[in-house]
Amino acid sequence: MGFGQDLRNSHEGLIKLQDWELKLLETVKRFMTLRVKSDKEYASLLLNICQQVDKHDNSSQIHYISTVSKSWAHMVQQTEQLSKIMKSHAEELNSGPLHRLTMMIKDKQQVKRSYQSVHQQIEFELNKVTKTDLEKLKGTYRQLSKDAHSAKEKYKEAVVKGREPEKARERYDKATMKLHNLHNQYVLAVRSAQLHQEHYHESALPLLLDSLQKMQEEMVSALKGILEEYSEITSLLTDEIVKVHKEIHTSIDQIDPASEYDNFIEMYGSPETKEPNVEFDVSLLEETENLQANEILWNNLTADSLQALLKCTTEELLLTQQSLRSKEDLMLDLQSKIEESAKTSRFCY
């Protein structure tokens, strides 16, 4: 199971998951912050108690060697040492796990923002190419079809009545040329939309979701390390606390980044729904002649336009290939930097 395979239609669920995890991390952060505060206060209270005992003992008028007194003095000394250990642990907890957890929350917030931004961008591009742009062309197509049909009727009428048939023919040819050129543009736009739709469902969206899952799992792994360090720092090794921390270790050891989202995927997983294929609107051809769906029309009216389009497209293809090679080099460089950054992040966490 994986995000890119099973969660293609679960965007809202993924947002809820990230919000829930951020709240969880904030709860863990508040817990650790209070633990640091309480441990420092406890250490301070222990030290204060020891100092009060020292004042009392120094004011005593009885001076003799007593095993009880020696044992008591040793107990006080060990309690003062415990105070120092508790203070040291609190500072270590604050500068270690708590600091890394704070940085992780910021990173996770950035991951969420980046995911939402990229998802919104590719959704917008898909909608623009497969819907908005095509609807505009279809509207123009219908209008030009009507214009061509009207020009044709007027030309027939002019021929019958003998009223400037040459001008009517010229207007008819111009209207037909516009329609044919627009027809070609629409055919190309439909194919472009089909390719964009295929790329979105088979590549862009799955890659985005798989990248998100990888980041999620890496942060789960980092959080596991933070909790393990927290457990080590706060352990006092008494029988009672050792038992508690064994339970903590057991629960932490059960964290498995690779299977962390299995249950979530089962709950929010959805079967892939195939969108209707983008097709040529054959209703546009009802009032036209010699026009075929999904076929480029080459004639004396469209030849110049198609040749110009071919030249322009060829030039754009060369530029795109050059840009693609440049971006591939940049992608390899960025991928190398990301891998190095990921190694550094795991080390820091």
Side-chain angles (χ1 to χ4, degrees):
M1 291 187 293
F3 284 15
Q5 178 181 352
D6 300 287
L7 299 180
R8 298 185 187 185
N9 300 308
S10 304
H11 175 66
E12 293 301 322
L14 287 169
I15 295 299
K16 290 180 180 179
L17 171 67
Q18 292 176 84
D19 287 339
W20 178 83
E21 289 183 335
L22 280 169
K23 289 181 180 179
L24 176 62
L25 291 179
E26 290 291 350
T27 299
V28 176
K29 179 182 177 181
R30 287 194 297 271
F31 174 85
M32 287 192 183
T33 300
L34 290 174
R35 180 61 189 264
V36 170
K37 180 181 178 182
S38 64
D39 283 359
K40 285 184 176 181
E41 291 176 348
Y42 180 54
S44 179
L45 287 171
L46 286 179
L47 181 59
N48 184 60
I49 292 171
C50 293
Q51 291 173 344
Q52 293 295 327
V53 169
D54 286 340
K55 289 180 181 179
H56 178 270
D57 288 346
N58 290 334
S59 64
S60 175
Q61 299 298 318
I62 301 176
H63 300 282
Y64 74 102
I65 299 176
S66 168
T67 55
V68 173
S69 178
K70 290 173 64 177
S71 296
W72 169 244
H74 186 67
M75 288 177 61
V76 172
Q77 291 174 359
Q78 292 304 308
T79 301
E80 185 174 352
Q81 181 63 24
L82 176 60
S83 170
K84 295 178 181 179
I85 293 173
M86 291 294 296
K87 182 179 180 181
S88 174
H89 283 185
E91 293 172 348
E92 185 179 357
L93 180 61
N94 185 62
S95 62
L98 183 56
H99 173 71
R100 284 190 284 278
L101 182 61
T102 300
M103 299 303 297
M104 178 185 288
I105 290 173
K106 293 181 179 179
D107 290 343
K108 195 164 187 64
Q109 289 170 338
Q110 181 59 46
V111 167
K112 179 188 173 185
R113 287 193 294 269
S114 297
Y115 165 72
Q116 287 181 302
S117 176
V118 175
H119 188 273
Q120 182 180 17
Q121 179 182 351
I122 64 175
E123 283 285 323
F124 173 81
E125 292 174 352
L126 176 67
N127 185 70
K128 179 179 182 298
V129 173
T130 62
K131 295 179 181 179
T132 306
D133 291 349
L134 288 183
E135 287 301 319
K136 290 180 179 178
L137 286 174
K138 286 163 68 174
T140 305
Y141 198 123
R142 290 189 176 93
Q143 183 59 50
L144 292 180
S145 179
K146 291 179 181 179
D147 293 344
H149 178 75
S150 176
K152 179 181 178 181
E153 294 300 317
K154 290 180 180 180
Y155 168 68
K156 289 179 179 180
E157 181 180 350
V159 171
V160 172
K161 295 182 179 181
R163 296 178 180 176
E164 299 181 330
E166 292 80 10
K167 291 184 178 181
R169 177 65 188 185
E170 183 179 351
R171 288 192 291 269
Y172 173 49
D173 287 345
K174 287 182 178 179
T176 304
M177 181 179 65
K178 288 182 180 180
L179 174 60
H180 290 185
N181 287 328
L182 194 281
H183 169 87
N184 292 339
Q185 186 179 353
Y186 178 64
V187 170
L188 293 174
V190 168
R191 183 54 182 156
S192 175
Q194 292 169 342
L195 293 173
H196 194 106
Q197 192 177 56
E198 179 182 351
H199 175 73
Y200 171 85
H201 289 289
E202 299 300 325
S203 180
L205 183 59
L207 284 175
L208 173 62
L209 296 177
D210 286 338
S211 296
L212 175 63
Q213 181 177 3
K214 183 178 180 180
M215 293 298 297
Q216 293 279 110
E217 291 175 348
E218 287 181 354
M219 288 190 171
V220 170
S221 179
L223 178 59
K224 179 178 179 180
I226 289 173
L227 294 177
E228 287 175 337
E229 186 177 3
Y230 166 83
S231 175
E232 293 171 0
I233 292 174
T234 57
S235 175
L236 300 179
L237 300 180
T238 62
D239 291 342
E240 184 177 8
I241 296 180
V242 164
K243 181 180 178 181
V244 172
H245 282 277
K246 281 184 177 180
E247 294 295 328
I248 294 175
H249 277 297
T250 299
S251 63
I252 294 173
D253 287 338
Q254 291 176 350
I255 296 176
D256 182 12
S259 61
E260 168 69 12
Y261 300 105
D262 286 355
N263 180 258
F264 174 80
I265 293 174
E266 290 175 0
M267 293 177 61
Y268 286 91
S270 57
E272 182 178 0
T273 56
K274 188 175 181 180
E275 295 183 9
N277 293 329
V278 178
E279 300 291 346
F280 188 103
D281 191 345
V282 295
S283 67
L284 298 170
L285 304 175
E286 293 176 355
E287 298 183 5
T288 63
E289 294 181 0
N290 302 323
L291 297 179
Q292 299 295 324
N294 297 309
E295 291 187 8
I296 297 294
L297 188 64
W298 177 279
N299 55 33
N300 61 330
L301 300 177
T302 65
D304 291 342
S305 173
L306 288 174
Q307 287 176 346
L309 178 60
L310 176 61
K311 179 181 179 182
C312 179
T313 303
T314 301
E315 292 174 352
E316 289 181 355
L317 176 60
L318 292 175
L319 291 174
T320 300
Q321 289 174 337
Q322 293 174 358
S323 176
L324 179 60
R325 286 193 293 269
S326 175
K327 289 182 178 179
E328 286 176 345
D329 293 339
L330 178 60
M331 182 187 69
L332 292 174
D333 182 58
L334 289 174
Q335 185 176 1
S336 175
K337 291 180 179 179
I338 289 173
E339 291 176 355
E340 185 64 28
S341 177
K343 293 179 181 178
T344 304
S345 298
R346 285 195 293 272
F347 177 77
C348 293
Y349 287 139

